[in-house]
Amino acid sequence: AFSPMSISLTLADEIDISRGDMIVSAKNPPQVAKEITAKLCWMSETELQPGKKYILKHCTKMTKAVVTKVKFIVDIDSLGEQETGSLKLNEIAEVELKVLNPIPVDSYRQNRTTGSFILIDSDEAHNTVAAGMVV
């Protein structure tokens, strides 16, 4: 099968799976996590607000997420680390996130698909505010 075809899978065991669930190799499974360290590229004119609820979209799943800590921003000129409590438009930072529902993640270096996500503002406009890469 290939995109945009639909398929059905019949599994040997009765397992409760649904649209968007991930089937992975038992030899190389992703880490299932509720706490994630990631690099964020902030794309909103409204500053990041640690503690504010956002929506994290990872592969085909969406879950509520909170940035619990901005560890540092990357100084673009020196590539050094600068301490900060917030994140502004076009800044890149390493952050810690908590998600409501566990998600299967790999580091971005290992797998660009399961190692990336976007953050969406949970307000009425649902604007994408950041692109993220799992560290």
Side-chain angles (χ1 to χ4, degrees):
F2 53 88
S3 183
M5 296 172 69
S6 296
I7 64 167
S8 272
L9 296 176
T10 303
L11 305 175
D13 299 324
E14 287 192 34
I15 300 171
D16 183 22
I17 61 172
S18 59
R19 182 185 188 122
D21 285 344
M22 197 177 291
I23 297 174
V24 299
S25 167
K27 294 178 184 176
N28 190 19
Q31 173 187 356
V32 177
K34 285 186 84 168
E35 296 182 4
I36 302 163
T37 301
K39 292 269 173 73
L40 280 186
C41 177
W42 197 251
M43 303 184 305
S44 174
E45 292 189 18
T46 305
E47 288 185 26
L48 166 80
Q49 299 173 22
K52 179 182 175 184
K53 291 180 182 159
Y54 293 96
I55 299 167
L56 184 139
K57 183 175 182 191
H58 175 261
C59 299
T60 59
K61 289 277 192 180
M62 295 207 299
T63 186
K64 291 180 183 176
V66 173
V67 176
T68 57
K69 181 179 182 183
V70 179
K71 295 171 77 172
F72 60 84
I73 62 169
V74 177
D75 182 328
I76 299 301
D77 296 323
S78 68
L79 298 180
E81 301 173 2
Q82 294 180 339
E83 288 189 29
T84 185
S86 187
L87 192 55
K88 297 176 184 154
L89 179 65
N90 294 329
E91 288 184 327
I92 299 170
E94 186 165 304
V95 301
E96 293 177 3
L97 296 126
K98 284 189 178 181
V99 294
L100 180 62
N101 301 309
I103 57 173
V105 296
D106 292 302
S107 72
Y108 185 79
R109 284 188 175 158
Q110 185 180 6
N111 186 323
R112 290 172 26 171
T113 301
T114 56
S116 63
F117 60 89
I118 60 171
L119 277 184
I120 301 167
D121 200 335
S122 59
D123 66 4
E124 289 180 21
H126 281 67
N127 293 323
T128 299
V129 294
M133 296 174 287
V134 177
V135 175

